Amino acid sequence: MAIRYLIVDDELPSRLNLRLAMAAHPGWQLAGECGGAASARAALAGLDVDLVFLDIQMPGQSGLVLARELSRLREPPLVVFVTAYSEHAIEAFEVHALDYLLKPLDDARLAQAVERAASMLRQRQREAYGAALRGFVDGAQSLDTISVRSVGRIEQVKVGDILRIESAGNYVELRLAGRTVLHRMTLSRLESLLAPGEFVRVHRGTIVRRSQIAGMETRGDGSYWLSMRNGEVVAVSERYAGALKAILMRSKG
């Protein structure tokens, strides 16, 4: 069965470019095109749509207004946001496991987004996707959950369950009790989103939950090591050793 998609963009050339690019993907069927949020809202009321390509910056109502409405549905269509480059916006998409396309359109990036969406639809992930979309459009001040996408699925990881976070290039490893979850985001960016006081950086590539800190020792070679309450031991760089000592002193006092 064909996957039906709707294009919502106020610029006719952008809609045309996307429609032509999507012709290279068999199994996808264009359900319609809309020039704004209001016309898209009317179209969605009468159409069965699996995915919406949604431009964010449109006159009248922003695409985010429509996305917020869709997020309230029990099983909303998937949304691929279309936007001009904005580093902050892109990072926000990534923390919630949402997909996006940058203008001008890149065929390889479109192919990646299309494959991800098809995989999620095959695994019936609309409900899980709705939770991720709500987290994004509601714009909560504190990060309570991280939406992690893996092999066509979305998992909601509670920040309160994270014991420590390790850098892995453009990814981070979220260390939970008994398992590790890989998430596409840099360590520095994720650190900036976490609530102040909950975590502390102990190394260039490691952040630890403060309540997990049990002690710190200096070994014979002069290196510092942090003991965690779950029994794990983590390397501490000299740069952060002083701050950790202060935290331990305050906890004892």
Side-chain angles (χ1 to χ4, degrees):
M1 185 178 295
I3 300 175
R4 292 168 56 81
Y5 67 94
L6 180 72
I7 299 175
V8 183
D9 195 315
D10 64 297
E11 298 177 350
L12 178 59
S14 294
R15 297 199 302 271
L16 177 60
N17 288 341
L18 182 53
R19 187 199 325 148
L20 292 176
M22 284 298 293
H25 298 278
W28 287 76
Q29 178 183 341
L30 177 65
E33 297 182 21
C34 302
S39 57
R41 190 177 293 109
L44 287 166
L47 292 174
D48 182 16
V49 173
D50 301 298
L51 181 142
V52 179
F53 289 103
L54 180 59
D55 187 20
I56 290 180
Q57 295 175 318
M58 296 186 293
Q61 284 188 329
S62 162
L64 293 178
V65 174
L66 179 60
R68 182 172 289 107
E69 294 173 11
L70 294 177
S71 75
R72 302 301 182 225
L73 300 176
R74 182 175 178 274
E75 294 188 353
L78 305 187
V79 176
V80 173
F81 291 97
V82 182
T83 179
Y85 180 74
S86 167
E87 183 177 357
H88 177 73
I90 288 171
E91 288 168 339
F93 296 145
E94 290 176 343
V95 80
H96 293 286
L98 304 178
D99 233 323
Y100 61 91
L101 297 174
L102 299 179
K103 294 182 178 182
L105 188 65
D106 177 80
D107 287 339
R109 186 69 185 82
L110 173 63
Q112 184 183 51
V114 163
E115 176 52 36
R116 285 175 174 172
S119 181
M120 290 185 63
L121 290 168
R122 285 194 298 268
Q123 298 193 48
R124 302 182 183 277
Q125 287 288 291
R126 281 194 179 190
E127 189 171 351
Y129 178 84
L133 185 60
R134 283 192 297 277
F136 171 70
V137 296
D138 286 347
Q141 294 300 309
S142 61
L143 185 65
D144 297 321
T145 61
I146 299 174
S147 300
V148 178
R149 179 175 48 202
S150 175
V151 197
R153 299 185 66 83
I154 285 184
E155 177 184 0
Q156 299 292 322
V157 175
K158 294 181 180 179
V159 172
D161 292 339
I162 299 173
L163 305 181
R164 80 174 192 268
I165 308 169
E166 300 277 355
S167 175
N170 290 326
Y171 289 78
V172 289
E173 295 177 349
L174 308 176
R175 302 294 181 93
L176 313 173
R179 67 190 184 105
T180 298
V181 178
L182 194 65
H183 179 57
R184 183 174 176 81
M185 174 164 280
T186 65
L187 186 67
S188 295
R189 175 56 184 161
L190 181 54
E191 182 183 26
S192 71
L193 298 172
L194 298 171
E198 284 192 26
F199 293 84
V200 60
R201 189 182 283 256
V202 301
H203 192 277
R204 180 179 63 182
T206 309
I207 295 173
V208 174
R209 178 175 290 281
R210 284 180 180 244
S211 61
Q212 278 292 308
I213 298 174
M216 188 174 68
E217 64 175 359
T218 306
R219 296 186 178 175
D221 59 0
S223 61
Y224 297 95
W225 293 85
L226 172 71
S227 299
M228 296 180 61
R229 297 191 185 280
N230 64 354
E232 296 179 345
V233 179
V234 180
V236 177
S237 64
E238 186 174 359
R239 176 181 178 183
Y240 300 104
L244 274 175
K245 288 178 182 177
I247 290 173
L248 287 166
M249 288 292 290
R250 287 197 295 271
S251 65
K252 292 177 181 178

